Amino acid sequence: NNGYIDVTVEGGTGLYAYNWIGIDFDGNTIDLSDQLNNQDLINIPAGSYELTVYDQNNSDIDGDGVINSDDQDIDGDGQIG
């Protein structure tokens, strides 16, 4: 498990809160409890990942991506507001 997702978020107000969900290709939830509120994910297995980012005004932006192999990486950018 050495895939990673690198996210850049801009805009919004104040600090960001991150909420990750990961599902493997068998439909099982990937345990992200040690990284749930991180901006980026590291050392993750193949699967589908969804991210919702909230700013301090509770404005949000959603993103998703698929890691097809255990050593793939994804870079993503998003704008709140």
Side-chain angles (χ1 to χ4, degrees):
N1 299 343
N2 56 3
Y4 72 89
I5 300 175
D6 179 24
V7 175
T8 302
V9 179
E10 297 176 345
T13 303
L15 300 176
Y16 302 123
Y18 301 89
N19 185 26
W20 287 99
I21 298 172
I23 304 292
D24 69 18
F25 294 123
D26 292 324
N28 301 307
T29 301
I30 297 170
D31 181 10
L32 299 172
S33 58
D34 61 336
Q35 302 188 72
L36 186 62
N37 295 309
N38 291 1
Q39 177 176 338
D40 303 324
L41 295 180
I42 59 172
N43 298 323
I44 54 174
S48 297
Y49 294 85
E50 294 181 11
L51 170 63
T52 302
V53 181
Y54 300 92
D55 71 2
Q56 73 181 29
N57 292 329
N58 216 26
S59 297
D60 68 317
I61 186 172
D62 297 316
D64 56 48
V66 175
I67 301 285
N68 291 307
S69 65
D70 286 344
D71 62 353
Q72 182 182 359
D73 61 305
I74 294 177
D75 295 317
D77 300 306
Q79 178 80 29
I80 295 179

Coordinates of all heavy atoms in Angstrom, one line a residue:
N1 N 0.8 -1.2 0.0 CA 0.0 0.0 0.0 C 0.9 1.2 0.0 O 1.2 1.8 1.0 CB -0.9 0.0 1.2 CG -1.8 -1.1 1.3 OD1 -2.1 -1.8 0.4 ND2 -2.4 -1.3 2.5
N2 N 1.2 1.7 -1.2 CA 2.0 2.9 -1.2 C 1.5 3.9 -2.2 O 2.2 4.8 -2.7 CB 3.5 2.6 -1.5 CG 3.7 1.8 -2.7 OD1 2.8 1.5 -3.5 ND2 5.0 1.4 -3.0
G3 N 0.2 3.9 -2.5 CA -0.5 4.9 -3.3 C -0.7 6.2 -2.4 O -0.6 6.1 -1.2
Y4 N -0.8 7.3 -3.1 CA -1.1 8.5 -2.3 C -2.0 9.4 -3.2 O -2.0 9.4 -4.4 CB 0.1 9.2 -1.8 CG 1.0 9.9 -2.9 CD1 0.7 11.2 -3.3 CD2 2.0 9.2 -3.5 CE1 1.5 11.8 -4.2 CE2 2.8 9.9 -4.5 CZ 2.5 11.2 -4.8 OH 3.3 11.8 -5.8
I5 N -2.7 10.3 -2.5 CA -3.5 11.4 -3.1 C -3.0 12.7 -2.5 O -3.0 12.9 -1.3 CB -5.0 11.2 -2.8 CG1 -5.5 9.9 -3.4 CG2 -5.8 12.4 -3.4 CD1 -6.9 9.5 -3.1
D6 N -2.6 13.6 -3.4 CA -2.1 14.9 -3.0 C -3.1 16.0 -3.4 O -3.4 16.1 -4.6 CB -0.8 15.2 -3.6 CG -0.2 16.5 -3.3 OD1 -0.5 17.1 -2.3 OD2 0.6 17.0 -4.1
V7 N -3.7 16.7 -2.4 CA -4.8 17.6 -2.7 C -4.3 19.1 -2.4 O -3.6 19.3 -1.4 CB -6.0 17.3 -1.8 CG1 -7.1 18.3 -2.0 CG2 -6.5 15.9 -2.1
T8 N -4.7 20.0 -3.3 CA -4.5 21.4 -3.0 C -5.9 22.1 -3.1 O -6.6 21.9 -4.0 CB -3.6 22.1 -4.1 OG1 -2.4 21.4 -4.1 CG2 -3.4 23.5 -3.8
V9 N -6.2 22.8 -2.0 CA -7.5 23.5 -1.9 C -7.2 25.0 -1.7 O -6.4 25.4 -0.9 CB -8.4 23.0 -0.7 CG1 -9.7 23.7 -0.6 CG2 -8.6 21.5 -0.9
E10 N -8.0 25.8 -2.4 CA -7.8 27.3 -2.3 C -9.2 27.9 -2.1 O -10.2 27.3 -2.4 CB -7.2 27.9 -3.5 CG -5.8 27.4 -3.8 CD -5.2 27.9 -5.1 OE1 -6.0 28.4 -5.9 OE2 -4.0 27.8 -5.3
G11 N -9.2 29.1 -1.6 CA -10.4 29.9 -1.4 C -11.1 29.6 -0.1 O -10.5 29.0 0.8
G12 N -12.3 30.0 0.1 CA -13.0 29.8 1.3 C -12.5 30.7 2.4 O -11.8 31.6 2.2
T13 N -12.9 30.4 3.6 CA -12.6 31.2 4.8 C -12.0 30.4 5.9 O -12.6 29.3 6.2 CB -13.9 31.9 5.3 OG1 -14.5 32.7 4.3 CG2 -13.5 32.8 6.5
G14 N -10.8 30.8 6.4 CA -10.2 30.1 7.5 C -9.7 28.8 7.3 O -9.3 28.4 6.1
L15 N -9.6 27.9 8.3 CA -9.1 26.6 8.2 C -10.0 25.6 7.5 O -11.2 25.8 7.5 CB -8.7 26.1 9.6 CG -7.7 26.9 10.4 CD1 -7.6 26.3 11.8 CD2 -6.4 27.0 9.7
Y16 N -9.5 24.6 6.9 CA -10.3 23.6 6.2 C -10.4 22.3 7.1 O -9.5 22.0 7.8 CB -9.6 23.2 4.9 CG -9.4 24.3 3.9 CD1 -8.1 24.6 3.4 CD2 -10.5 25.1 3.5 CE1 -7.9 25.6 2.5 CE2 -10.3 26.1 2.6 CZ -9.0 26.3 2.1 OH -8.8 27.3 1.2
A17 N -11.6 21.7 6.9 CA -11.8 20.3 7.5 C -11.9 19.4 6.4 O -12.6 19.7 5.4 CB -13.0 20.3 8.4
Y18 N -11.3 18.2 6.5 CA -11.3 17.2 5.4 C -12.0 16.0 5.9 O -11.9 15.5 7.0 CB -9.9 16.8 5.1 CG -9.0 18.0 4.6 CD1 -8.4 18.8 5.5 CD2 -9.0 18.4 3.3 CE1 -7.6 19.9 5.1 CE2 -8.3 19.5 2.8 CZ -7.6 20.2 3.8 OH -6.9 21.3 3.4
N19 N -12.9 15.4 5.0 CA -13.6 14.2 5.3 C -13.4 13.2 4.1 O -13.9 13.4 3.0 CB -15.1 14.5 5.5 CG -15.8 13.3 5.9 OD1 -15.3 12.3 6.5 ND2 -17.1 13.2 5.6
W20 N -12.6 12.1 4.4 CA -12.3 11.1 3.4 C -13.2 9.9 3.5 O -13.5 9.5 4.6 CB -10.9 10.7 3.5 CG -9.9 11.7 3.0 CD1 -9.2 12.5 3.8 CD2 -9.4 11.9 1.7 NE1 -8.3 13.3 3.0 CE2 -8.5 12.9 1.7 CE3 -9.8 11.3 0.5 CZ2 -7.8 13.4 0.6 CZ3 -9.2 11.8 -0.7 CH2 -8.2 12.8 -0.6
I21 N -13.5 9.3 2.4 CA -14.2 7.9 2.4 C -13.4 7.1 1.3 O -13.2 7.6 0.2 CB -15.7 8.0 2.0 CG1 -16.4 8.9 3.0 CG2 -16.3 6.7 1.8 CD1 -17.8 9.2 2.6
G22 N -13.1 5.9 1.7 CA -12.4 5.0 0.7 C -13.1 3.7 0.6 O -13.5 3.1 1.6
I23 N -13.3 3.2 -0.6 CA -13.9 1.9 -0.9 C -13.0 1.1 -1.8 O -12.6 1.6 -2.8 CB -15.3 2.1 -1.6 CG1 -16.2 3.0 -0.8 CG2 -16.0 0.7 -1.8 CD1 -16.7 2.5 0.6
D24 N -12.7 -0.2 -1.4 CA -11.9 -1.0 -2.2 C -12.7 -1.6 -3.4 O -13.9 -1.4 -3.4 CB -11.1 -2.1 -1.4 CG -12.0 -3.2 -0.8 OD1 -13.2 -3.3 -1.3 OD2 -11.5 -3.8 0.1
F25 N -12.1 -2.3 -4.3 CA -12.8 -2.8 -5.4 C -13.7 -4.0 -5.1 O -14.4 -4.5 -6.0 CB -11.8 -3.1 -6.5 CG -11.1 -1.9 -7.1 CD1 -9.7 -1.8 -7.1 CD2 -11.8 -0.8 -7.5 CE1 -9.1 -0.7 -7.5 CE2 -11.2 0.3 -8.0 CZ -9.8 0.4 -8.0
D26 N -13.7 -4.5 -3.9 CA -14.6 -5.5 -3.5 C -15.8 -4.9 -2.8 O -16.7 -5.6 -2.3 CB -13.9 -6.5 -2.5 CG -12.9 -7.4 -3.3 OD1 -13.1 -7.7 -4.4 OD2 -11.9 -7.7 -2.6
G27 N -15.9 -3.6 -2.7 CA -17.0 -2.9 -2.0 C -16.8 -2.7 -0.5 O -17.8 -2.2 0.1
N28 N -15.6 -3.0 0.0 CA -15.4 -2.8 1.4 C -14.9 -1.4 1.8 O -14.1 -0.9 1.0 CB -14.4 -3.9 1.9 CG -14.9 -5.3 1.7 OD1 -16.0 -5.6 2.0 ND2 -14.1 -6.1 1.0
T29 N -15.2 -0.9 2.9 CA -14.7 0.4 3.3 C -13.2 0.2 3.7 O -12.8 -0.7 4.4 CB -15.5 0.9 4.6 OG1 -16.9 1.0 4.2 CG2 -15.0 2.2 5.1
I30 N -12.4 1.2 3.2 CA -11.0 1.2 3.5 C -10.8 2.0 4.8 O -11.4 3.0 5.0 CB -10.2 1.9 2.4 CG1 -10.3 1.0 1.1 CG2 -8.7 2.0 2.8 CD1 -9.8 1.7 -0.1
D31 N -10.1 1.4 5.8 CA -9.9 2.0 7.1 C -8.9 3.2 6.9 O -7.7 3.0 6.7 CB -9.3 1.0 8.1 CG -9.1 1.6 9.5 OD1 -9.6 2.8 9.7 OD2 -8.4 1.0 10.3
L32 N -9.5 4.4 7.0 CA -8.7 5.6 6.9 C -8.7 6.4 8.3 O -8.4 7.6 8.3 CB -9.3 6.6 5.8 CG -9.3 6.0 4.4 CD1 -10.1 6.9 3.5 CD2 -7.9 5.8 3.9
S33 N -9.0 5.7 9.4 CA -9.2 6.3 10.7 C -7.9 7.1 11.1 O -8.1 8.1 11.8 CB -9.5 5.3 11.7 OG -8.6 4.3 11.8
D34 N -6.8 6.7 10.7 CA -5.5 7.4 11.0 C -5.3 8.6 10.1 O -4.4 9.4 10.4 CB -4.3 6.4 11.1 CG -4.1 5.8 9.7 OD1 -5.0 5.7 8.9 OD2 -2.9 5.4 9.5
Q35 N -6.0 8.8 9.1 CA -5.8 9.9 8.1 C -7.1 10.6 7.8 O -7.1 11.5 6.9 CB -5.2 9.3 6.8 CG -3.9 8.6 7.0 CD -3.3 8.2 5.6 OE1 -2.8 9.1 4.9 NE2 -3.4 6.9 5.3
L36 N -8.2 10.3 8.4 CA -9.5 10.8 8.1 C -9.6 12.3 7.9 O -10.2 12.8 7.0 CB -10.5 10.4 9.1 CG -12.0 10.7 8.8 CD1 -12.5 10.0 7.6 CD2 -12.9 10.3 10.0
N37 N -8.9 13.1 8.7 CA -8.9 14.5 8.6 C -7.7 15.1 8.0 O -7.5 16.3 8.1 CB -9.1 15.1 10.0 CG -10.5 14.7 10.6 OD1 -11.5 14.9 10.0 ND2 -10.5 14.2 11.8
N38 N -6.9 14.3 7.3 CA -5.7 14.8 6.6 C -6.0 15.4 5.3 O -7.0 15.0 4.6 CB -4.7 13.7 6.4 CG -4.1 13.2 7.7 OD1 -4.4 13.6 8.8 ND2 -3.2 12.2 7.5
Q39 N -5.3 16.4 4.9 CA -5.4 17.0 3.5 C -5.0 16.0 2.5 O -5.7 15.8 1.5 CB -4.6 18.2 3.4 CG -4.6 18.8 2.0 CD -3.8 20.1 1.9 OE1 -3.6 20.8 2.9 NE2 -3.5 20.5 0.7
D40 N -4.0 15.3 2.7 CA -3.5 14.3 1.7 C -3.5 12.9 2.3 O -3.5 12.7 3.6 CB -2.0 14.6 1.3 CG -1.8 16.0 0.7 OD1 -2.7 16.4 0.0 OD2 -0.8 16.6 1.0
L41 N -3.6 11.9 1.5 CA -3.6 10.5 2.0 C -2.3 9.9 1.5 O -1.9 10.1 0.4 CB -4.8 9.7 1.4 CG -6.2 10.1 1.8 CD1 -7.2 9.2 1.2 CD2 -6.3 10.0 3.4
I42 N -1.7 9.1 2.4 CA -0.4 8.4 2.0 C -0.5 6.9 2.4 O -1.3 6.5 3.2 CB 0.8 9.0 2.7 CG1 0.6 8.9 4.2 CG2 1.0 10.4 2.2 CD1 1.9 9.4 5.0
N43 N 0.3 6.1 1.7 CA 0.3 4.6 2.0 C -1.1 4.0 1.9 O -1.5 3.3 2.8 CB 1.0 4.4 3.3 CG 2.4 4.8 3.3 OD1 3.1 4.7 2.3 ND2 2.8 5.4 4.4
I44 N -1.8 4.3 0.9 CA -3.2 3.8 0.7 C -3.3 2.7 -0.4 O -2.5 2.7 -1.3 CB -4.2 4.9 0.4 CG1 -3.8 5.7 -0.8 CG2 -4.4 5.8 1.6 CD1 -4.8 6.8 -1.2
P45 N -4.2 1.8 -0.2 CA -4.4 0.7 -1.2 C -5.2 1.2 -2.4 O -5.8 2.2 -2.4 CB -5.1 -0.4 -0.4 CG -5.9 0.4 0.6 CD -5.1 1.6 1.0
A46 N -5.2 0.3 -3.4 CA -6.1 0.6 -4.6 C -7.5 0.7 -4.1 O -8.0 0.0 -3.2 CB -5.9 -0.5 -5.6
G47 N -8.3 1.6 -4.8 CA -9.7 1.7 -4.4 C -10.2 3.1 -4.9 O -9.5 3.8 -5.5
S48 N -11.5 3.4 -4.6 CA -12.1 4.6 -4.9 C -12.1 5.5 -3.7 O -12.5 5.0 -2.6 CB -13.6 4.4 -5.4 OG -13.6 3.7 -6.6
Y49 N -11.8 6.8 -3.8 CA -11.7 7.7 -2.7 C -12.6 8.9 -3.0 O -12.6 9.4 -4.1 CB -10.3 8.1 -2.5 CG -9.5 6.9 -2.0 CD1 -8.9 6.1 -2.9 CD2 -9.3 6.7 -0.6 CE1 -8.1 5.0 -2.5 CE2 -8.6 5.6 -0.2 CZ -8.0 4.8 -1.1 OH -7.2 3.7 -0.7
E50 N -13.3 9.4 -2.0 CA -14.1 10.6 -2.1 C -13.6 11.6 -1.0 O -13.3 11.1 0.2 CB -15.6 10.3 -1.9 CG -16.2 9.5 -3.0 CD -17.6 9.3 -2.9 OE1 -18.3 9.9 -2.0 OE2 -18.2 8.4 -3.6
L51 N -13.6 12.8 -1.3 CA -13.2 13.8 -0.3 C -14.2 15.0 -0.3 O -14.6 15.5 -1.4 CB -11.8 14.4 -0.7 CG -11.3 15.6 0.1 CD1 -11.2 15.3 1.6 CD2 -10.0 16.2 -0.5
T52 N -14.6 15.4 0.9 CA -15.4 16.6 1.0 C -14.5 17.6 1.9 O -14.1 17.1 3.0 CB -16.7 16.4 1.7 OG1 -17.5 15.5 0.9 CG2 -17.5 17.7 1.8
V53 N -14.3 18.8 1.5 CA -13.6 19.8 2.2 C -14.5 20.9 2.6 O -15.3 21.4 1.8 CB -12.4 20.4 1.4 CG1 -11.6 21.4 2.2 CG2 -11.5 19.3 0.8
Y54 N -14.5 21.3 3.9 CA -15.3 22.3 4.4 C -14.4 23.5 4.9 O -13.4 23.2 5.5 CB -16.2 21.8 5.6 CG -17.1 20.7 5.3 CD1 -16.7 19.4 5.5 CD2 -18.4 21.0 4.9 CE1 -17.6 18.4 5.2 CE2 -19.3 19.9 4.6 CZ -18.8 18.6 4.7 OH -19.7 17.6 4.4
D55 N -14.9 24.7 4.7 CA -14.2 25.8 5.4 C -14.9 26.2 6.6 O -15.9 25.5 7.0 CB -14.0 27.0 4.4 CG -15.3 27.8 4.1 OD1 -16.4 27.4 4.7 OD2 -15.2 28.7 3.3
Q56 N -14.4 27.2 7.3 CA -15.0 27.5 8.6 C -16.5 28.1 8.5 O -17.2 28.1 9.5 CB -14.2 28.5 9.4 CG -14.2 29.9 8.9 CD -13.3 30.8 9.8 OE1 -12.3 30.4 10.4 NE2 -13.6 32.1 9.8
N57 N -16.9 28.5 7.3 CA -18.3 28.9 7.1 C -19.2 27.7 6.7 O -20.3 27.9 6.3 CB -18.4 30.0 6.1 CG -17.8 31.3 6.6 OD1 -17.8 31.6 7.8 ND2 -17.2 32.1 5.7
N58 N -18.6 26.5 6.7 CA -19.3 25.3 6.3 C -19.6 25.2 4.8 O -20.4 24.5 4.3 CB -20.5 25.0 7.1 CG -20.8 23.6 7.3 OD1 -19.8 22.8 7.4 ND2 -22.0 23.2 7.5
S59 N -18.9 26.1 4.0 CA -18.9 26.0 2.5 C -18.1 24.7 2.2 O -17.2 24.4 2.8 CB -18.3 27.2 1.8 OG -19.1 28.3 2.1
D60 N -18.5 24.0 1.1 CA -17.8 22.8 0.8 C -17.5 22.6 -0.7 O -18.1 23.3 -1.5 CB -18.6 21.6 1.3 CG -19.9 21.4 0.6 OD1 -20.6 22.3 0.3 OD2 -20.2 20.2 0.2
I61 N -16.6 21.7 -0.9 CA -16.3 21.2 -2.3 C -16.1 19.7 -2.2 O -15.5 19.2 -1.2 CB -15.1 22.0 -2.9 CG1 -14.8 21.6 -4.3 CG2 -13.8 21.7 -2.0 CD1 -13.8 22.4 -5.0
D62 N -16.5 19.0 -3.2 CA -16.3 17.6 -3.2 C -15.4 17.2 -4.4 O -15.3 17.8 -5.4 CB -17.7 16.9 -3.5 CG -18.7 17.1 -2.4 OD1 -18.3 17.0 -1.2 OD2 -19.9 17.4 -2.7
G63 N -14.7 16.1 -4.2 CA -13.8 15.5 -5.2 C -13.7 14.0 -5.0 O -14.1 13.5 -4.0
D64 N -13.3 13.4 -6.1 CA -13.2 11.9 -6.0 C -12.1 11.5 -7.0 O -11.7 12.2 -7.9 CB -14.5 11.2 -6.3 CG -15.1 11.5 -7.7 OD1 -14.3 11.6 -8.7 OD2 -16.3 11.8 -7.7
G65 N -11.6 10.3 -6.7 CA -10.5 9.7 -7.6 C -10.4 8.2 -7.4 O -10.9 7.7 -6.4
V66 N -9.8 7.6 -8.3 CA -9.6 6.1 -8.2 C -8.1 5.8 -8.2 O -7.4 6.3 -9.1 CB -10.3 5.4 -9.4 CG1 -10.0 3.9 -9.3 CG2 -11.8 5.7 -9.3
I67 N -7.6 5.0 -7.3 CA -6.3 4.5 -7.3 C -6.4 3.1 -7.8 O -7.0 2.2 -7.2 CB -5.7 4.4 -5.9 CG1 -5.6 5.8 -5.2 CG2 -4.3 3.8 -5.9 CD1 -4.6 6.7 -5.8
N68 N -5.9 2.8 -9.0 CA -6.0 1.5 -9.7 C -5.0 0.5 -9.3 O -5.2 -0.7 -9.5 CB -6.0 1.7 -11.2 CG -7.2 2.4 -11.7 OD1 -8.3 2.0 -11.4 ND2 -7.0 3.5 -12.5
S69 N -3.9 0.9 -8.7 CA -2.9 0.0 -8.2 C -2.3 0.6 -7.0 O -2.4 1.7 -6.7 CB -1.8 -0.2 -9.3 OG -1.1 1.0 -9.5
D70 N -1.6 -0.3 -6.2 CA -1.1 0.1 -4.9 C 0.0 1.1 -4.9 O 0.4 1.7 -3.9 CB -0.7 -1.1 -4.1 CG -1.9 -1.9 -3.5 OD1 -3.0 -1.4 -3.6 OD2 -1.6 -3.1 -3.1
D71 N 0.5 1.4 -6.1 CA 1.6 2.4 -6.1 C 1.3 3.6 -7.0 O 2.2 4.3 -7.5 CB 2.9 1.7 -6.6 CG 2.8 1.2 -8.0 OD1 1.7 1.1 -8.6 OD2 3.9 0.7 -8.5
Q72 N 0.0 3.8 -7.3 CA -0.4 5.0 -8.1 C -0.6 6.2 -7.2 O -0.9 6.1 -6.0 CB -1.7 4.6 -8.8 CG -2.2 5.7 -9.7 CD -3.6 5.3 -10.4 OE1 -4.1 4.3 -10.2 NE2 -4.1 6.2 -11.2
D73 N -0.5 7.4 -7.8 CA -0.7 8.6 -7.1 C -1.7 9.5 -7.9 O -1.8 9.4 -9.1 CB 0.5 9.3 -6.8 CG 1.3 9.8 -8.0 OD1 1.6 8.9 -8.9 OD2 1.6 11.0 -8.2
I74 N -2.4 10.4 -7.2 CA -3.3 11.3 -7.8 C -3.0 12.7 -7.2 O -2.8 12.8 -6.0 CB -4.8 11.0 -7.5 CG1 -5.2 9.6 -8.1 CG2 -5.7 12.1 -7.9 CD1 -6.6 9.2 -7.8
D75 N -3.0 13.7 -8.1 CA -2.9 15.1 -7.6 C -4.2 15.7 -8.0 O -4.7 15.6 -9.1 CB -1.7 15.8 -8.4 CG -0.4 15.2 -8.0 OD1 -0.2 14.9 -6.8 OD2 0.4 15.0 -8.9
G76 N -4.7 16.5 -7.1 CA -6.0 17.2 -7.3 C -6.0 18.6 -6.8 O -5.3 19.0 -5.8
D77 N -6.8 19.5 -7.4 CA -6.9 20.9 -7.0 C -8.4 21.2 -6.9 O -9.2 20.7 -7.6 CB -6.3 21.8 -8.0 CG -4.8 21.6 -8.3 OD1 -4.1 21.6 -7.3 OD2 -4.4 21.4 -9.4
G78 N -8.7 22.1 -6.0 CA -10.1 22.5 -5.8 C -10.2 23.9 -5.3 O -9.3 24.4 -4.7
Q79 N -11.3 24.6 -5.6 CA -11.5 26.0 -5.2 C -12.9 26.0 -4.4 O -13.9 25.5 -4.9 CB -11.6 26.9 -6.4 CG -11.9 28.3 -6.1 CD -10.7 29.1 -5.7 OE1 -9.6 28.8 -6.0 NE2 -10.9 30.1 -4.9
I80 N -12.8 26.5 -3.2 CA -14.1 26.8 -2.4 C -14.5 28.2 -2.7 O -13.7 29.1 -2.6 CB -13.9 26.5 -0.9 CG1 -13.5 25.1 -0.7 CG2 -15.1 27.0 -0.1 CD1 -13.3 24.7 0.8
G81 N -15.8 28.4 -3.0 CA -16.3 29.7 -3.1 C -16.2 30.2 -4.5 O -15.8 29.7 -5.5

